[in-house]
């Protein structure tokens, strides 16, 4: 099990980034959340088996059509128990 926190920079708001990430994460079997941040970035925490987390990380480096990812910062996090689903949170 692995959990990461991502901060994605670029043209990542207003392009369906959160909804697309939610779709990719759910399809990969990952749990966690994603949200817009007032500074123009997107922040997410993703948890799952190594393959699920890697699938989301690989997608985040490219983003959805219409988006432009300039960079992704990743931090390893401790895993959390009993988390289910992948939600879109309110802007931070």
């Amino acid at each position: 099990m692995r959990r990461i926190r991502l901060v994605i920079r670029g043209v990542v708001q207003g392009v369906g980034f959160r909804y697309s990430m939610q779709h990719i994460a759910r399809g990969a079997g990952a749990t966690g959340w994603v949200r817009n941040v007032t500074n123009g970035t997107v922040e997410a925490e993703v948890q799952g088996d190594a393959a699920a987390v890697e699938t989301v990380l690989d997608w985040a480096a490219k983003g959805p059509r219409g988006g432009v990812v300039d960079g992704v910062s990743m931090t390893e996090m401790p895993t959390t128990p009993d988390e289910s689903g992948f939600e879109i949170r309110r802007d931070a």
Side-chain angles (χ1 to χ4, degrees):
M1 187 71 74
R2 183 178 178 201
R3 183 177 192 86
I4 59 172
R5 175 172 284 222
L6 302 174
V7 177
I8 303 106
R9 295 174 309 285
V11 181
V12 293
Q13 292 189 14
V15 294
F17 200 99
R18 294 173 299 158
Y19 296 99
S20 296
M21 179 179 268
Q22 182 183 50
H23 176 75
I24 296 296
R26 286 179 174 173
T31 60
W33 54 266
V34 61
R35 67 182 174 193
N36 286 340
V37 182
T38 56
N39 66 6
T41 63
V42 168
E43 180 180 50
E45 287 191 14
V46 182
Q47 180 170 290
D49 63 37
V53 171
E54 197 64 33
T55 295
V56 178
L57 181 57
D58 288 346
W59 177 87
K62 298 176 225 125
R65 186 172 15 166
V68 177
V69 176
D70 292 333
V72 178
S73 299
M74 182 189 76
T75 306
E76 294 285 340
M77 306 283 293
T79 58
T80 59
D82 300 327
E83 187 170 289
S84 64
F86 194 91
E87 66 182 36
I88 296 172
R89 292 194 174 169
R90 296 184 66 84
D91 297 359

